[in-house]
Amino acid sequence: MCGIVGYVGRSSNGEHIGHNALDVVMEGLRRLEYRGYDSAGVAVLADGEISFRKKSGKLSNLITELDEHPLPESLTGIGHTRWATHGGPTDQNAHPHLADGGKLALIHNGIIENFAELKLELVRKGVTFLSETDTEVAAALLADIFRTKLNGDVSDGGLTKAMQLACQRLEGAFTLLAVHADQPDVVVAARRNSPLVVGLGDGENFLGSDVSGFIDYTRRAVELGQDQIVTITADTVEITDFFGAPAQGKEYHVDWDPESAEKGGFSSFMEKEIHDQPDAVAQTLLGRSDIHGKLTLDELRVDVELLKDIDKIIVLACGTSFYAGQVAKYALEHWCRIATEVELSHEFRYRDPIVDGNTLVVSISQSGETMDTLMAVRYAKEQGAKTLSICNTNGSTIPRESDAVLYTHAGPEIAVASTKAFLAQITAAYLLGLYLAQLRGNIFQGQIKDILADLGKIPAKIQRILENEEQIKELGRSMADAKSVLFLGRHVGFPVAMEGALKLKELAYIHAEGFAAGELKHGPIALIEEGQPVFVVVPSPRGRDSLHSKVVSNIQEVRARGAKTIVIAEEGDEAVKAYAEHVFYIPEAPTLLAPLLATVPLQIFALELAQAKGYDVDQPRNLAKSVTVE
Ligand code: AGP
């Protein structure tokens, strides 16, 4: 999830009639900074060569660098704000990456799944690499093809043809933008499983990872399709597929104002990020298993023998991340047969926990800066535990201080209330569990392959829920005056209920409480009175019937006492209808994967209710995105 901008303007008799490329690119990066802000860089073409600047940290660091070391005026430029996946947020890993002796510059959004094998092939050809990124490998591949297959000849669209051939070799998700010093009035771009739009100007053309990249200059846009390549000059836009066959993009007019363009047209970052969730899960899965269904988590960089000796897992987290850990516990214990405890980070080190060299402490943190979790990880390390971080922010403190890291690839989460990071955390925890089960032989490879196949279907199922969200939105609006809402769940539905309650608390400032459905009769049922809204997360009737029938009984118990029951149930589950005021159906999924679906209606409900109350859903009162104090 990076910000990408490209520009080609036109001069007439040496006179600029377009804009200065750097100005356009920097304005676009400023608008795209929400897509990634751990480093940024620009490259411009002038006087037959490529000039570039790139800096880690916020865009302001690049601006300072440019003030101190200005770039020449230019008609052609590309720019990038990074959300790191491969390689930490350093100057060296920032984009653009150069190749072909500094004559080619490339920027990239996405994940090149086969970068390791391509890198090996290029190293054998004598290529040396400066960074840890998959992007630099793509740049070197493009340069190698340009030299060996096109003889470095730009005359007949050489860079475009090189890009076509390179894309035929790349696997994964990528938006690529490339410029070459020998072709100073051209930007060539490609996209697969990652967004790219063209902005059509008058005597100038633009490229952006979304329309925010050029909305200040034009509102005429062309959306590129899958596996397409576009070559822009000041006056032309040519689109082909990866094999050179001409293709068409879909032109449209951008109606959004710049502010809403940054939110992808949604009313808030919170709503945008709820709708980013199919991609957040898909990107987190990407590149982490092979075609045989074998997990390939080489990035963990942990001696697998150590992992085989683990006899206890302790998950440390706070808030929503803690609920992700609670969901993960069911899968870790079921698949790996390793005793798994899930602890609130701020409680962990004060309870004198039992930790030793065979304990794997898994911290879960979106920001990687939560002080409670950081301190708990440090304590666990002092006790001799192995530590592994599941984190969404590359290069942040907790992964840096952990023995291993498994990054979620949800992209930057701007809204304070966590949504897409939550689903990505659960996905990453499932990958870890399957990886441990694979190492230890707890489950057959075929079963792992089946589970991965089920996980691979989740993004489309989330998308289906989002496409039918109006029913739950309407319910949210209708309940804006609710004073208290209860949430019930059982098994993996219990942490989902807790997360649903937290979303409502932190967005709508309403008292909400999540319970284990079986716990109701031990006290909380006294809270039920006429009209009390109760959400119930119902497990699949196709799973262990005992779970389903018991939860249906719980619905009857509360309904008999006057509760207004709102049920989240699996498509086709008719048994719940008799006891529910409202039923919101979600697609079928194996029990352990159901939280990735059941959570989504609860997020939408909380968002809609909070918006109906007129609250700021991106910046709720009293909250911070990263709690860096104990
Ligand atoms: C979630 O909606 C909250 N914003 C909060 O509970 C958050 O999950 C918690 O503070 C942990 O943050 P982290 O994932 O960055 O460690």
Side-chain angles (χ1 to χ4, degrees):
M1 181 79 160
C2 303
I4 277 189
V5 183
Y7 174 75
V8 183
R10 185 176 64 201
S11 67
S12 164
N13 309 321
E15 264 310 295
H16 255 206
I17 56 171
H19 299 84
N20 178 20
L22 183 64
D23 297 340
V24 174
V25 170
M26 290 306 289
E27 177 57 23
L29 293 185
R30 188 183 65 75
R31 288 208 177 277
L32 288 167
E33 191 170 16
Y34 75 91
R35 290 179 67 95
Y37 37 79
D38 61 41
S39 59
V42 290
V44 297
L45 284 155
D47 313 323
E49 59 183 30
I50 286 178
S51 305
F52 73 98
R53 302 285 183 271
K54 55 185 190 176
K55 286 299 280 181
S56 62
K58 297 255 183 213
L59 189 59
S60 52
N61 292 359
L62 177 63
I63 291 169
T64 304
E65 174 75 2
L66 287 164
D67 289 344
E68 290 165 2
H69 309 285
L71 287 175
E73 287 258 320
S74 167
L75 294 170
T76 305
I78 56 177
H80 184 270
T81 57
R82 186 168 182 244
W83 185 259
T85 50
H86 290 93
T90 62
D91 291 359
Q92 199 54 264
N93 288 340
H95 302 202
H97 287 278
L98 271 67
D100 200 26
K103 300 188 76 170
L104 182 146
L106 182 85
I107 57 178
H108 165 226
N109 176 24
I111 296 170
I112 308 286
E113 285 187 80
N114 60 334
F115 87 99
E117 67 192 72
L118 292 170
K119 185 168 187 172
L120 207 54
E121 184 185 305
L122 291 159
V123 165
R124 287 190 185 124
K125 287 187 167 186
V127 177
T128 54
F129 290 92
L130 303 174
S131 78
E132 312 157 83
T133 66
D134 54 348
T135 307
E136 193 182 7
V137 172
L141 176 70
L142 180 60
D144 179 62
I145 290 171
F146 180 63
R147 286 291 155 203
T148 58
K149 302 271 195 280
L150 281 300
N151 303 316
D153 178 1
V154 292
S155 58
D156 179 21
L159 188 59
T160 300
K161 292 190 175 92
M163 181 66 88
Q164 289 162 357
L165 293 170
C167 288
Q168 293 168 30
R169 298 286 318 275
L170 298 176
E171 294 167 16
F174 48 88
T175 300
L176 302 170
L177 263 62
V179 290
H180 197 284
D182 296 348
Q183 211 169 6
D185 54 357
V186 167
V187 177
V188 179
R191 67 147 301 208
R192 167 180 282 172
N193 297 325
S194 179
L196 180 64
V197 281
V198 181
L200 303 175
D202 180 9
E204 54 187 8
N205 286 309
F206 308 78
L207 291 165
S209 34
D210 65 50
V211 295
S212 311
F214 50 73
I215 195 166
D216 293 296
Y217 300 95
T218 180
R219 287 173 174 274
R220 290 176 56 211
V222 175
E223 179 85 38
L224 289 187
Q226 181 74 323
D227 286 12
Q228 286 190 341
I229 285 172
V230 61
T231 303
I232 66 167
T233 67
D235 299 303
T236 60
V237 174
E238 288 175 16
I239 302 171
T240 71
D241 65 14
F242 282 2
F243 296 89
Q248 291 299 319
K250 192 174 54 189
E251 183 169 343
Y252 64 97
H253 184 268
V254 181
D255 300 326
W256 298 331
D257 59 57
E259 180 70 13
S260 60
E262 290 181 21
K263 297 167 187 165
F266 291 103
S267 59
S268 61
F269 279 112
M270 175 84 196
E271 186 175 23
K272 176 182 180 299
E273 287 157 11
I274 288 174
H275 285 78
D276 281 347
Q277 292 184 118
D279 198 44
V281 172
Q283 293 289 326
T284 300
L285 290 169
L286 200 60
R288 287 166 159 170
S289 62
D290 64 21
I291 52 169
H292 308 297
K294 190 169 168 42
L295 275 301
T296 52
L297 297 188
D298 308 340
E299 64 205 276
L300 286 183
R301 291 200 291 269
V302 177
D303 176 356
V304 292
E305 292 311 312
L306 293 179
L307 293 178
K308 285 179 180 172
D309 297 337
I310 295 297
D311 61 12
K312 177 157 80 167
I313 295 173
I314 299 178
V315 178
L316 298 176
C318 300
T320 288
S321 302
F322 172 72
Y323 300 135
Q326 287 196 317
V327 170
K329 170 190 168 80
Y330 292 90
L332 290 167
E333 290 193 332
H334 181 68
W335 292 334
C336 311
R337 308 310 299 154
I338 302 174
T340 301
E341 299 167 13
V342 186
E343 282 279 342
L344 288 169
S345 304
H346 40 78
E347 288 291 319
F348 172 67
R349 58 200 174 103
Y350 301 109
R351 71 169 176 88
D352 198 11
I354 298 165
V355 175
D356 64 25
N358 290 330
T359 306
L360 176 65
V361 165
V362 178
S363 62
I364 300 180
S365 176
Q366 189 286 130
S367 63
E369 298 298 346
T370 298
M371 188 54 72
D372 288 325
T373 302
L374 174 60
M375 298 309 285
V377 168
R378 285 178 178 167
Y379 178 83
K381 287 189 77 168
E382 287 161 12
Q383 306 301 310
K386 309 278 178 306
T387 56
L388 183 148
S389 164
I390 291 178
C391 186
N392 195 46
T393 308
N394 199 306
S396 53
T397 306
I398 295 173
R400 273 209 320 273
E401 296 197 14
S402 298
D403 299 318
V405 58
L406 182 58
Y407 282 112
T408 52
H409 294 150
E413 191 174 65
I414 310 296
V416 167
S418 183
T419 50
K420 62 178 184 174
F422 178 65
L423 296 196
Q425 288 165 348
I426 293 172
T427 304
Y430 287 166
L431 289 170
L432 175 64
L434 291 170
Y435 182 68
L436 289 171
Q438 175 179 286
L439 282 181
R440 303 157 63 99
N442 298 98
I443 46 181
F444 292 116
Q445 200 60 50
Q447 196 186 346
I448 292 174
K449 184 175 181 180
D450 293 345
I451 297 167
L452 284 171
D454 287 333
L455 268 172
K457 294 171 189 163
I458 290 295
K461 293 184 174 183
I462 297 172
Q463 190 56 41
R464 270 175 52 200
I465 295 171
L466 295 171
E467 285 162 5
N468 295 290
E469 64 180 346
E470 194 43 45
Q471 177 199 357
I472 199 81
K473 279 186 157 186
E474 200 178 305
L475 182 66
R477 290 190 290 268
S478 72
M479 289 178 63
D481 298 331
K483 296 289 177 281
S484 152
V485 180
L486 308 183
F487 293 78
L488 304 185
R490 192 183 280 261
H491 195 260
V492 284
F494 171 30
V496 171
M498 299 296 283
E499 169 59 10
L502 176 60
K503 282 288 147 312
L504 198 57
K505 281 183 259 195
E506 61 180 340
L507 290 171
Y509 318 149
I510 290 177
H511 172 261
E513 200 162 344
F515 297 104
E519 185 60 12
L520 213 60
K521 54 190 176 298
H522 298 286
I525 200 163
L527 289 170
I528 305 300
E529 55 191 19
E530 191 58 35
Q532 168 66 53
V534 178
F535 274 84
V536 187
V537 179
V538 179
S540 165
R542 296 173 301 110
R544 261 180 274 173
D545 181 56
S546 58
L547 275 181
H548 180 264
S549 55
K550 281 195 170 54
V551 175
V552 172
S553 305
N554 297 141
I555 301 174
Q556 290 172 298
E557 284 162 20
V558 295
R559 191 165 166 80
R561 290 164 175 79
K564 177 181 174 185
T565 50
I566 305 139
V567 170
I568 310 293
E570 184 176 273
E571 285 166 353
D573 184 351
E574 297 295 318
V576 300
K577 278 184 172 172
Y579 314 108
E581 298 270 312
H582 303 275
V583 183
F584 191 85
Y585 283 110
I586 57 176
E588 281 187 16
T591 299
L592 286 176
L593 308 192
L596 293 169
L597 303 179
T599 304
V600 179
L602 304 184
Q603 295 167 336
I604 296 167
F605 172 79
L607 169 66
E608 202 63 19
L609 194 157
Q611 282 183 317
K613 293 169 79 86
Y615 292 156
D616 176 354
V617 293
D618 283 340
Q619 303 284 343
R621 69 185 184 195
N622 309 339
L623 296 180
K625 185 58 186 170
S626 177
V627 183
T628 54
V629 292
E630 274 201 286

